[in-house]
Amino acid sequence: MAKLNFILILAVLASGLVLVHSAYESRRLFAERERTKAEGQRLAADAERLKAERHAQATNLRVEQVARERLGMRLISPAVVASGVAP
C-alpha cells in the first residue's frame, strides 16, 4: 500500500510540474504574440507614413523643383525650339 501511495504522489507531482510548465509556456507565447502584434501595427503605421512621403515627393511641383535645382533644367521657349540654339 505504501508503494502505491508513493507512486501516486510521484504521479501527482509530475502532473503538477507539467501543468506549471504548460501555464508558463502559454503566458510566454501570449506575451510574444502581443509584442509581435504591436510590432506589426508599428510597421503598418510606418508603411502608411512612407507612402504619404513618397506621394508628397512625387507631386508635379516637387519634380519640377528638383529638375530645376539639381539637374539645371529649364522650360523651353518657342525661340529655342525654332532656332535650335540655347539663348
Side-chain angles (χ1 to χ4, degrees):
M1 188 70 169
K3 191 174 188 179
L4 179 62
N5 286 341
F6 182 71
I7 291 173
L8 290 176
I9 288 173
L10 287 178
V12 167
L13 287 175
S15 67
L17 288 174
V18 169
L19 179 66
V20 167
H21 177 69
S22 67
Y24 169 77
E25 191 67 19
S26 175
R27 285 191 300 270
R28 186 186 66 78
L29 289 173
F30 181 77
E32 184 178 340
R33 179 179 148 243
E34 292 300 313
R35 276 193 306 272
T36 304
K37 199 189 304 187
E39 179 72 11
Q41 290 172 347
R42 186 188 65 78
L43 290 174
D46 284 349
E48 289 298 319
R49 182 183 54 79
L50 289 172
K51 283 180 189 176
E53 285 180 16
R54 182 178 64 190
H55 180 70
Q57 293 291 325
T59 61
N60 289 339
L61 293 175
R62 175 72 179 145
V63 171
E64 186 177 338
Q65 178 186 12
V66 169
R68 287 177 192 254
E69 292 174 0
R70 292 187 189 167
L71 302 175
M73 299 176 97
R74 56 193 163 92
L75 293 174
I76 60 169
S77 64
V80 172
V81 174
S83 68
V85 178

